[in-house]
Amino acid sequence: MTDRLMKVNAYTTLDLVDAVAKGQEFETEAFAVANATSDKKVPDCVRLQFELDNMTEEHLPAHMEELELTPEQARTLAADLEKHADRVENHDQ
């Protein structure tokens, strides 16, 4: 696991997307950064990372969530995202 926080830069997959942090006794809207990545040298997994802007979030300390996915898991997630994107897109028409 990594203890670094993401930096918003030209290589970030998505920056400033809407997010919601939910807990048992709170729900806070915030901006977030999302990133899909793998190591440049000897990649051993696909990483899906996201970080909420903690400038407005008071319940959680600054941190980044990270999923380490196998290639098969990453493809399963990508296919499910495509399916739901199509559903939302087709609903608006």
Side-chain angles (χ1 to χ4, degrees), residues 8-83:
V8 177
N9 60 41
Y11 303 106
T12 306
T13 305
L14 299 173
D15 56 303
L16 300 179
V17 295
D18 292 331
V20 177
K22 294 181 180 182
Q24 275 190 298
E25 302 196 16
F26 71 92
E27 183 171 312
T28 304
E29 294 181 4
F31 288 117
V33 175
N35 195 44
T37 190
S38 60
D39 291 339
K40 290 183 181 186
K41 297 179 181 179
V42 192
D44 62 345
C45 68
V46 176
R47 289 188 180 86
L48 178 59
Q49 307 165 320
F50 59 95
E51 180 179 352
L52 271 63
D53 177 2
N54 71 330
M55 297 300 288
T56 58
E57 211 299 302
E58 61 190 47
H59 298 282
L60 300 171
H63 72 288
M64 175 183 67
E65 302 291 345
E66 181 175 84
L67 297 176
E68 291 187 1
L69 306 169
T70 64
E72 181 181 353
Q73 291 170 323
R75 287 185 184 98
T76 299
L77 180 59
D80 214 29
L81 287 168
E82 286 285 341
K83 178 182 77 175

